[in-house]
Amino acid sequence: MEKKPQLVAKENKVTELKEAISAAQGVLLVDYRGLTVKEVTELRAKLRAGEVHYEVAKNTLIKRAANALEISALDNFLEGPTAIAFADDALGMIKVITEFAKEHKALEVKAGLMDNEFIDVNTIDALSKVPSREVLLTQLAVCLQAPMRNLAVVVNQIKEKKEKEEVA
């Protein structure tokens, strides 16, 4: 007996979602209810710029995909209109979505996954305040350069002291 096209489409979507969830470093569920078409278009553009995949999906399909990966923590958040976002840069995605949610109160972050581990709204909010990767790398470079800089200053001071002693 041949499967109905609708059933095949749903199975394909579950497989697609399962692959996207397992491959992504970060996944966020959001409630987009109340956003205008213009606002959703603006959000999608910002997410695309950050290499984030964003789509509206049926809750039952998201649940099946997550449960197939043995992730049941999202089940309680799959009510009402749900959009799902996937990204390799979880922090970048979190920053874009939480900033957008601050400007557009209709967008509500429900929950998410980071490296396939559940993160709640409080954790997402805390992660949104972490400096970007570029800022962290810059801070690390400054910290690594500080001892060398300090050594150079001390060596220069010793040199100047010896030069003064030779002149005197």
Side-chain angles (χ1 to χ4, degrees), residues 73-109:
L74 299 177
D75 291 358
N76 294 334
F77 301 94
L78 293 170
E79 294 179 6
T82 303
I84 187 167
F86 311 96
D88 290 333
D89 177 11
L91 284 178
M93 173 184 63
I94 287 170
K95 285 181 178 297
V96 170
I97 290 178
T98 54
E99 281 300 312
F100 193 87
K102 286 177 187 172
E103 297 168 13
H104 303 86
K105 299 297 182 196
L107 184 70
E108 178 190 339
V109 178

Side-chain angles (χ1 to χ4, degrees), residues 30 32 35 38-48 54 96-97 100-101 107:
V30 297
Y32 59 91
L35 290 179
K38 181 180 176 186
E39 291 169 333
V40 170
T41 304
E42 180 186 344
L43 174 61
R44 285 180 184 271
K46 287 182 179 190
L47 292 172
R48 253 191 313 275
Y54 173 89
V96 170
I97 290 178
F100 193 87
L107 184 70

Side-chain angles (χ1 to χ4, degrees), residues 144-159:
L144 292 175
Q145 288 177 343
M148 291 183 286
R149 185 182 151 280
N150 292 342
L151 178 63
V153 167
V154 169
V155 169
N156 191 40
Q157 287 174 346
I158 292 171
K159 176 185 152 204

